[in-house]
Amino acid sequence: MKPLTNTDLIKTPLILKITAFTLISITFFYLGRHWSNGGYQQLLFFSTPLNSISISPNNDRSFNITPLISLNQSDQPLTDQATTISPPPDESPLPDPNRTFGIIDSDGKMSDDFEAGEFDPDIVENWGNGSEIDSGSKDSRFRAERYELCPVSMREYIPCLDNVKAIKRLKSTEKGERFERHCPEKGDELNCLVPPPIGYRPPIPWPRSRDEVWYSNVPHSRLVEDKGGQNWISKAKDKFMFPGGGTQFIHGADKYLDQISEMVPDIAFGHHTRVVLDVGCGVASFGAYLLSRDVMTMSIAPKDVHENQIQFALERGVPAMVAAFATHRLLYPSQAFELIHCSRCRINWTRDDGILLLEVNRMLRAGGYFAWAAQPVYKHEQVLEEQWEEMLNLTTHLCWELVKKEGYIAIWQKPLNNSCYLSRDAGAKPQLCDSDDDPDNVWYVDLKACISRLPENGYGANVSMWPSRLHTPPDRLQSIQYESFIARKELLKAENKFWSETIAGYVRAWHWKKFKLRNVMDMKAGFGGFAAALIEQGFDCWVLNVVPVSGSNTLPVLYDRGLLGVMHDWCEPFDTYPRTYDLLHAAGLFSVERKRCNMSTIMLEMDRILRPGGRAYIRDSLDVMDELQQIAKVMGWEATVRDTSEGPYASYRILTCDKRLLLP
């Protein structure tokens, strides 16, 4: 027998198998380390009995691999069906790796049908101040030291409305200047995390939140003391209760709305009238009860002696913003609202030649209605009768028609075109605004004591009925200054299609229907495709569509579609209370705004207005993702970078973030 040489030994089948197995094991080991680090999706493990895919946390866990060894030894080849992954045509083929929080029901299944109470311990963190965090990046641009919690006194801080230094420097406050935006100067910007009040709890879900909220989330009882007798609000144990009344409708908003509908049937809530502005809204019961009639109401009030009324509205799940009629235009476009309502809103509409009512006229759609419920309408005291005559005189000069006066409500209608204005005597006041005045230019623009002209082509006056107007390209789409070589209508339809498919993918892959979404903000809204897709999917939420000043002003299109929107500059703070949104959505925002402002400034503002337990979805270019993820981490967020449906080589990524409840 010929003795075995070293060469023959290497060629034996046993040695070849061992060598191949070793090389394969090393390869998979390094691949596993690569894909389980850096915030990317982690290893996939297959469960062949369930034919499903789940994500391994791969962190300090051990696994029983006996079933896998048994399967390998069974000599049964795996079929293509078991080894091939076919991702769905949506934003991510992988389900959400974050836990779904709930309770175990009697069948041992996870259920989210339970009374909102304390936060799950997994999303609560004792944050403390002054410590560092491992950023995972060697890039010096990324902050390694985590942000500190702000002082407790700042728990309801609105930077541009609580700037005491700037307010003290005002030359005059008689016209309400102190209630307008006065943002901190450079160097004084928010640089800490606004803390929640002691005992903060997950908000009561809609629709129950319309009628009750936790006292601990808005721990202020002054409104109960001031307005309890008017059926606004009451306190019962650990909750505030909202009976649905108001100063002029103490018997309930529903009966009040019925009265308005009977007075002017053409208002037709939910059909002709879709978007409403409620001025001096109180706790927003007027808007809250209009929601059941398929009407979206923007409820506004200043941060005055009843400073928490807008905070109550948002905690209830009702659209609202802090805003004041003072010296600047409100941040809404011309012809935005089919109805503008003022019930004891404490505004002198006739001061300064009617400049405030002229602002109402600018925002009121052609043919729209102004409803005024106030003492001058129905009381017969001399001073109040004089105020009524002043109001009649002003509205007549505005060419408004007094359609109906009944009880304590008066309703006027705005004309459909400029013919009445042009037929007035020469020199009649208020004058028409100059032809070069842009009524949609609203960012830090002073009020003007002139009548905003209506478009000669009738744009804005002839919108479709709701709900068909949501998907009908409006006339004003053609007047938007937009950098595009594609026809405007095709562009709107393409945006609708993109977000419809994307949100459908989020629902399938990330189970968005399990999220208790109510207050949603789209930080760069475009034509409103994201909001339209949520409506299409049947989400019981409302969306505030923000149009950044750095892009095209699409606000008129948003309102013509029956959506709510507002102009804003993301280099400055937003006018809302802390902890007021459940979901912040930003698509293509940071790659644009980083040329103008610091990304950490925007992220800190997002943290301020996002509720603990809330989510942020940021879809943007790959070159901003690392920095955004590190900022999110030093704010205490759980942040994960994910591929889009275009795959790992696409130039875009999605950063999904969960905000935790941080305790000092």
Side-chain angles (χ1 to χ4, degrees):
M1 173 185 276
K2 183 180 178 181
L4 287 173
T5 65
N6 291 340
T7 303
D8 294 329
L9 183 62
I10 293 173
K11 291 181 180 180
T12 61
L14 179 61
I15 296 298
L16 287 174
K17 290 180 180 179
I18 293 173
T19 304
F21 181 80
T22 302
L23 290 173
I24 291 172
S25 299
I26 293 172
T27 301
F28 275 97
F29 174 79
Y30 282 101
L31 282 174
R33 288 193 60 186
H34 172 74
W35 290 109
S36 61
N37 291 331
Y40 291 89
Q41 289 291 353
Q42 299 169 341
L43 287 178
L44 296 179
F45 286 84
F46 300 87
S47 177
T48 51
L50 296 176
N51 193 24
S52 63
I53 304 171
S54 60
I55 301 173
S56 168
N58 280 339
N59 184 21
D60 299 328
R61 300 284 184 87
S62 60
F63 299 89
N64 182 6
I65 61 171
T66 304
L68 296 178
I69 297 174
S70 301
L71 179 62
N72 188 48
Q73 292 175 346
S74 65
D75 295 328
Q76 294 180 2
L78 296 174
T79 64
D80 291 340
Q81 182 179 2
T83 58
T84 303
I85 305 173
S86 299
D90 47 56
E91 282 306 306
S92 172
L94 302 177
D96 188 0
N98 302 306
R99 294 185 180 91
T100 298
F101 301 109
I103 60 172
I104 303 298
D105 62 19
S106 58
D107 296 326
K109 297 179 180 179
M110 183 69 74
S111 170
D112 57 6
D113 183 17
F114 63 98
E115 170 81 18
E118 302 301 326
F119 278 95
D120 188 291
D122 287 348
I123 61 170
V124 179
E125 180 169 347
N126 292 318
W127 191 244
N129 283 333
S131 56
E132 294 187 355
I133 190 170
D134 183 9
S135 68
S137 173
K138 297 180 180 179
D139 195 327
S140 60
R141 295 176 303 167
F142 299 154
R143 176 190 177 111
E145 185 177 340
R146 62 187 185 180
Y147 288 99
E148 295 185 353
L149 291 176
C150 303
V152 175
S153 60
M154 295 176 64
R155 66 188 185 190
E156 289 161 6
Y157 179 60
I158 305 177
C160 295
L161 300 180
D162 291 330
N163 188 353
V164 178
K165 290 182 182 178
I167 293 173
K168 286 182 177 179
R169 291 196 299 264
L170 291 174
K171 296 179 180 179
S172 172
T173 59
E174 64 179 11
K175 295 181 180 179
E177 291 90 342
R178 67 184 182 276
F179 301 126
E180 296 187 299
R181 291 174 60 83
H182 306 286
C183 297
E185 296 178 356
K186 191 172 183 179
D188 292 332
E189 303 100 329
L190 183 68
N191 197 36
C192 55
L193 307 175
V194 176
I198 296 172
Y200 183 83
R201 307 172 73 171
I204 294 173
W206 182 268
R208 281 176 47 213
S209 62
R210 187 194 73 172
D211 303 324
E212 59 183 33
V213 302
W214 297 118
Y215 171 83
S216 58
N217 288 10
V218 191
H220 300 281
S221 57
R222 176 166 180 173
L223 271 180
V224 177
E225 299 163 4
D226 292 350
K227 300 294 183 179
Q230 297 173 4
N231 219 20
W232 277 32
I233 183 174
S234 62
K235 186 175 181 295
K237 296 182 179 179
D238 57 353
K239 294 177 182 177
F240 285 114
M241 312 301 293
F242 302 93
T247 304
Q248 290 292 160
F249 46 95
I250 60 175
H251 299 298
D254 261 335
K255 290 184 178 180
Y256 181 70
L257 293 171
D258 288 340
Q259 182 182 357
I260 292 175
S261 297
E262 292 168 3
M263 289 174 65
V264 184
D266 286 346
I267 286 179
F269 289 126
H271 298 285
H272 176 72
T273 298
R274 163 62 181 175
V275 191
V276 171
L277 179 69
D278 186 20
V279 182
C281 63
V283 293
S285 289
F286 180 81
Y289 280 81
L290 272 174
L291 285 165
S292 62
R293 302 178 188 228
D294 230 355
V295 174
M296 296 298 295
T297 304
M298 176 58 74
S299 300
I300 64 169
K303 191 178 183 184
D304 56 10
V305 291
H306 303 309
E307 61 180 20
N308 297 98
Q309 51 192 332
I310 294 298
Q311 190 176 16
F312 278 118
L314 289 162
E315 186 69 18
R316 295 176 72 184
V318 180
M321 277 189 67
V322 183
F325 279 86
T327 67
H328 291 98
R329 283 178 172 176
L330 273 68
L331 303 178
Y332 314 111
S334 65
Q335 297 198 76
F337 304 99
E338 285 84 60
L339 171 69
I340 296 181
H341 171 258
C342 159
S343 174
R344 294 286 289 273
C345 56
R346 299 191 303 169
I347 292 177
N348 181 4
W349 294 115
T350 58
R351 78 157 171 88
D352 298 333
D353 299 321
I355 195 169
L356 300 183
L357 201 64
L358 286 163
E359 174 65 357
V360 168
N361 184 75
R362 181 188 70 84
M363 297 185 293
L364 191 60
R365 192 175 298 281
Y369 298 91
F370 176 69
W372 190 38
Q375 289 183 342
V377 175
Y378 63 96
K379 283 196 172 182
H380 299 288
E381 301 172 11
Q382 183 177 351
V383 174
L384 296 175
E385 287 181 344
E386 290 175 358
Q387 292 176 6
W388 171 250
E389 289 301 321
E390 290 176 0
M391 190 69 166
L392 273 183
N393 183 54
L394 176 59
T395 54
T396 300
H397 282 81
L398 285 175
C399 292
W400 287 8
E401 177 189 357
L402 180 59
V403 180
K404 191 83 171 181
K405 179 185 175 185
E406 180 181 291
Y408 46 78
I409 307 173
I411 300 178
W412 286 267
Q413 185 176 24
K414 178 180 175 177
L416 285 166
N417 52 51
N418 295 319
S419 59
C420 174
Y421 306 138
L422 298 174
S423 65
R424 297 182 306 164
D425 296 337
K429 292 187 177 181
Q431 297 178 344
L432 281 172
C433 296
D434 295 337
S435 56
D436 61 352
D437 174 66
D438 181 2
D440 298 321
N441 183 21
V442 297
W443 188 248
Y444 288 120
V445 175
D446 290 339
L447 293 177
K448 299 183 180 182
C450 59
I451 300 173
S452 298
R453 295 172 182 263
L454 292 169
E456 294 297 335
N457 53 21
Y459 284 4
N462 301 313
V463 295
S464 305
M465 295 286 186
W466 181 263
S468 62
R469 66 191 276 187
L470 180 64
H471 295 293
T472 302
D475 293 335
R476 287 200 284 181
L477 182 63
Q478 304 306 319
S479 62
I480 300 299
Q481 295 181 358
Y482 205 83
E483 296 180 2
S484 172
F485 297 102
I486 305 175
R488 304 292 175 83
K489 291 184 179 180
E490 297 305 315
L491 194 63
L492 185 143
K493 290 178 181 177
E495 183 187 287
N496 285 346
K497 185 175 185 295
F498 172 80
W499 285 115
S500 178
E501 294 176 353
T502 299
I503 297 302
Y506 289 172
V507 169
R508 290 192 301 269
W510 291 335
H511 311 294
W512 269 32
K513 287 292 180 73
K514 292 185 177 180
F515 298 170
K516 293 187 181 298
L517 299 182
R518 181 58 193 169
N519 301 357
V520 177
M521 177 185 287
D522 189 359
M523 300 174 67
K524 186 173 180 289
F527 294 127
F530 177 81
L534 291 180
I535 294 173
E536 196 177 77
Q537 282 285 334
F539 283 90
D540 196 4
C541 67
W542 61 273
V543 181
L544 182 58
N545 296 279
V546 180
V547 175
V549 298
S550 56
S552 299
N553 185 0
T554 57
L555 277 176
V557 174
L558 291 167
Y559 278 90
D560 288 355
R561 298 186 69 183
L563 304 171
L564 294 176
V566 66
M567 179 74 71
H568 186 62
D569 184 348
W570 283 114
C571 295
E572 298 182 7
F574 193 80
D575 288 342
T576 193
Y577 281 87
R579 304 173 300 280
T580 50
Y581 284 90
D582 303 302
L583 173 67
L584 300 178
H585 177 258
L589 176 72
F590 287 92
S591 54
V592 174
E593 300 296 4
R594 68 172 175 170
K595 302 170 186 175
R596 305 173 54 247
C597 43
N598 194 320
M599 292 200 296
S600 62
T601 300
I602 303 176
M603 290 286 282
L604 277 170
E605 179 63 5
M606 292 172 68
D607 179 82
R608 187 183 71 85
I609 66 179
L610 187 62
R611 288 172 172 167
R615 295 173 169 85
Y617 275 59
I618 302 171
R619 178 189 173 95
D620 221 312
S621 57
L622 182 60
D623 57 345
V624 300
M625 277 295 140
D626 283 346
E627 184 173 356
L628 290 175
Q629 186 179 26
Q630 302 312 319
I631 296 171
K633 286 183 178 179
V634 296
M635 294 194 311
W637 290 9
E638 290 285 350
T640 305
V641 176
R642 306 175 187 276
D643 294 333
T644 67
S645 60
E646 297 170 353
Y649 300 106
S651 59
Y652 275 72
R653 294 288 187 275
I654 301 173
L655 182 67
T656 62
C657 305
D658 295 316
K659 178 179 176 178
R660 292 179 291 185
L661 177 67
L662 303 183
L663 302 178

